[in-house]
């Protein structure tokens, strides 16, 4: 199946710094990628939809200036957590959809990135 | 509004026993239904999906699920549990014909396997 890769898998940073997480589709082009946040023992919460070549669409309650999303190419989307604080510590997961398969199109998930802000 | 309910946040079965993870959904249009598995500190992996056609869907690792419209259910089963099945399982729904961005996940069920 299709492969989506995230980097880094783990990141620890100091409060106030910014952290960038990459999401790459390795063997297909993804015009749309999705970013989720997962708290311990909870389900995934959609943060935003990343669209190649245009602005991301954020879900209600997600701070656009805190979570910057860039989808500069058909195989790469990045999530930058700006001025990170301990409450931003979480597991962040991206997914990508095979183009042309709306709705039922299978979502392929990255391995996730665990962010710990000290 | 669409929703997904997974009954039981934690299920424990003995190795070799039947696995049954329950999922009920609410959707105003015919849904697309999914089961995903998540191992610790990893992303989600698709186990199986129902879109149209046969209501009994077979997935990877010996899992299967049956779409029952009358019961609005999509329970996940496996005849014989293996230690490697221990993981978190998520049921998900996309309202039919909607964008994948509308996928709604259940709260998850942690499956433990007793030796």
């Amino acid at each position: 199946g299709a492969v989506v890769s995230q980097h880094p898998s783990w990141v620890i940073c100091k409060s106030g710094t910014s952290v960038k997480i990459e999401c790459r589709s390795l063997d297909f082009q993804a015009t749309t990628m999705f970013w989720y946040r997962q708290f311990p023992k909870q389900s995934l919460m959609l943060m935003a939809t990343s669209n190649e070549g245009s602005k991301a669409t954020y879900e209600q309650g997600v701070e656009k200036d805190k979570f910057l999303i860039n989808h500069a190419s058909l195989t790469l989307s990045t999530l930058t957590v700006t001025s990170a604080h301990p409450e931003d510590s979480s597991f962040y997961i991206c997914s990508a959809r095979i183009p042309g398969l709306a709705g039922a199109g299978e979502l392929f998930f990255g391995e996730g990135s665990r962010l710990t802000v000290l | 509004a669409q929703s997904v309910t997974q009954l039981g946040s934690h299920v424990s079965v003995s190795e070799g026993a039947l696995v049954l993870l329950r999922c009920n959904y609410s959707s105003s249009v015919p849904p697309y239904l999914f089961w995903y598995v998540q191992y610790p500190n990893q992303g989600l992996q698709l186990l199986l999906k129902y879109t149209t056609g046969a209501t009994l869907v077979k997935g990877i690792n010996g899992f299967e699920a049956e779409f029952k419209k009358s019961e609005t259910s999509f329970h996940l089963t496996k005849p014989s549990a293996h230690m490697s099945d221990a993981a978190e399982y998520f049921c998900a729904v996309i309202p039919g014909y909607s964008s994948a961005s509308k996928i709604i996940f259940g709260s998850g069920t942690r499956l433990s396997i007793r030796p």
Side-chain angles (χ1 to χ4, degrees):
Chain A
V3 178
V4 175
S5 179
Q6 277 183 247
H7 177 81
S9 301
W10 299 83
V11 57
I12 301 174
C13 69
K14 292 182 179 180
S15 184
T17 61
S18 294
V19 174
K20 179 184 287 187
I21 301 170
E22 295 185 345
C23 179
R24 294 181 184 273
S25 55
L26 298 184
D27 50 0
F28 66 100
Q29 294 182 330
T31 55
T32 304
M33 291 184 176
F34 306 95
W35 286 97
Y36 304 84
R37 184 173 181 177
Q38 186 180 31
F39 292 100
K41 300 186 186 300
Q42 294 189 30
S43 189
L44 280 70
M45 179 190 75
L46 179 64
M47 299 174 64
T49 302
S50 174
N51 303 297
E52 188 270 335
S54 64
K55 291 182 178 180
T57 303
Y58 289 82
E59 296 300 302
Q60 190 174 9
V62 178
E63 298 178 61
K64 300 178 182 181
D65 296 331
K66 160 68 77 174
F67 300 101
L68 299 180
I69 292 173
N70 183 275
H71 195 153
S73 77
L74 287 171
T75 60
L76 174 64
S77 175
T78 60
L79 168 67
T80 301
V81 183
T82 62
S83 186
H85 291 283
E87 59 265 29
D88 298 323
S89 299
S90 192
F91 194 55
Y92 293 88
I93 304 175
C94 72
S95 71
R97 178 177 65 82
I98 298 287
L101 296 178
E106 183 177 330
L107 291 176
F108 294 91
F109 288 82
E111 310 94 327
S113 300
R114 181 162 301 285
L115 169 64
T116 301
V117 184
L118 302 177
Chain B
Q2 285 73 29
S3 66
V4 178
T5 301
Q6 290 184 240
L7 296 176
S9 60
H10 182 208
V11 171
S12 180
V13 302
S14 298
E15 189 175 18
L18 170 71
V19 175
L20 171 60
L21 304 183
R22 299 178 185 275
C23 174
N24 288 87
Y25 69 91
S26 170
S27 178
S28 56
V29 297
Y32 300 136
L33 296 159
F34 307 80
W35 274 100
Y36 289 91
V37 60
Q38 183 182 33
Y39 296 100
N41 293 309
Q42 293 189 27
L44 274 65
Q45 180 183 7
L46 181 69
L47 278 177
L48 48 80
K49 64 181 177 183
Y50 167 80
T51 54
T52 58
T55 56
L56 182 62
V57 181
K58 295 185 183 299
I60 62 172
N61 301 339
F63 284 94
E64 62 182 37
E66 186 172 9
F67 169 57
K68 292 187 177 181
K69 183 178 179 181
S70 61
E71 299 178 8
T72 60
S73 69
F74 192 57
H75 301 331
L76 181 71
T77 61
K78 181 174 180 177
S80 177
H82 192 273
M83 295 300 291
S84 60
D85 295 326
E88 189 85 16
Y89 291 80
F90 292 95
C91 181
V93 61
I94 294 177
Y97 316 116
S98 299
S99 163
S101 66
K102 299 303 181 184
I103 189 168
I104 301 167
F105 290 95
S107 54
T109 298
R110 182 164 62 91
L111 177 63
S112 299
I113 311 297
R114 301 188 300 271

